[in-house]
């Protein structure tokens, strides 16, 4: 039985084992998928041990994505561009290949919700690893402009300069943001603490699409706030979670699972349906 798992800290809440078990059943692949929560300074050793003991691949989540980037033998073009790795595969010739499926997962989920990215004006909140992993796939959809807003504007500026060769991207302080935007993506972890990014309510209008990468059984604080300001289309990151997992599964097994039924089962598991 081929072994896969997800590394994170904390990681006990992860739905990845649930998702990949359903993918395996659907595609008739023989594999088992578990959880690993090494100490903050123990990831490198845990990763090495996992593959030495016969592991075939893994997902990597907070806070280990940048460490994973430095520990693999080879990087896919999208992982190299993102500067972070969330998927690792042991290839047939014994090479640890690092990939990043976050951005592909986000774009696939946005399209599944009918959001038009081409020609739209996008506001991306946050400049951490989650934002970094999504910039290239978002810019590949040819928006009219992508604005990065972050509490530390210098960090947003650095990120924008790294990706400006891919399309019209720039950094802006929260207080200087000017609408209208067609889509606002919250890549910050503010929702996990019950906080909100310092966004002016005037940026929310009835036709805007709101996306929070965080998710839960109830609306995240950001989605709840956006609804209160009049936003009609709001989405959390549950679909992105499933879509990026399908992308990772494809990297590992060479077969793409369907996501719609798995997303329905996941919502049922979380008590959303």
């Amino acid at each position: 039985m081929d072994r896969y798992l997800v590394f994170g800290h904390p990681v006990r809440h992860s739905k990845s084992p649930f998702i990949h078990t359903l993918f395996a059943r659907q595609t008739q692949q023989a594999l088992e998928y578990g959880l690993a929560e090494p100490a903050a300074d123990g990831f490198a050793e845990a990763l090495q041990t996992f593959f030495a003991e016969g592991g075939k691949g893994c997902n990597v989540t907070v806070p280990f994505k940048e460490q994973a980037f430095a520990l693999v033998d080879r990087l896919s073009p999208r992982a190299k561009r993102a500067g972070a790795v969330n998927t690792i595969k042991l290839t047939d010739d014994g090479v640890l290949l690092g990939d990043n499926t976050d951005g592909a997962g986000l774009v696939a989920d946005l399209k599944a919700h009918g959001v038009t990215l081409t020609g739209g004006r996008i506001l991306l909140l946050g400049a951490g690893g989650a934002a970094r992993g999504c910039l290239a796939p978002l810019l590949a959809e040819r928006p009219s402009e992508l604005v990065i807003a972050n509490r530390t504007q210098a960090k947003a500026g650095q990120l924008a300069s790294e990706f400006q060769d891919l399309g019209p991207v720039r950094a802006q302080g929260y207080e200087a943001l000017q609408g209208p935007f067609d889509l606002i993506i919250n890549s910050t972890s503010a929702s996990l603490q019950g906080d909100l990014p310092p966004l002016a309510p005037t940026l929310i209008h009835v036709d805007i699409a709101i996306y929070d990468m965080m998710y839960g059984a109830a609306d995240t604080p950001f989605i709840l706030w956006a609804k209160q300001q009049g936003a009609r289309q709001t989405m959390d990151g549950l679909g992105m979670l499933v879509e990026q997992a399908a992308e990772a599964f494809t990297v590992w097994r060479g077969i793409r699972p369907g996501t719609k039924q798995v997303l329905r089962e996941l919502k049922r598991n979380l008590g959303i349906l």
Side-chain angles (χ1 to χ4, degrees), residues 1 23-32 249 253-255:
M1 183 80 78
F23 284 161
R25 193 178 303 158
Q26 179 196 118
T27 57
Q28 299 181 308
Q29 296 286 298
L31 61 87
E32 59 181 23
F249 193 92
R253 310 299 294 187
I255 182 169

Side-chain angles (χ1 to χ4, degrees), residues 3 17 87 113 115 126 130 136-137 182 209 260 265 271:
R3 289 177 54 231
T87 300
H113 280 96
V115 177
D182 300 293
K260 287 183 179 178
E265 291 292 331

Side-chain angles (χ1 to χ4, degrees), residues 123-129 131 147-159 170-177 186-189 197-199:
L123 173 59
L124 179 63
L125 310 179
V147 178
I148 306 170
N150 192 56
R151 288 179 191 270
T152 309
Q153 194 177 340
K155 192 175 180 183
Q158 172 62 34
L159 201 53
R170 65 183 176 90
Q172 191 82 61
Y174 275 103
E175 69 289 338
L177 289 171
N186 181 23
S187 80
T188 76
S189 58
L199 202 62

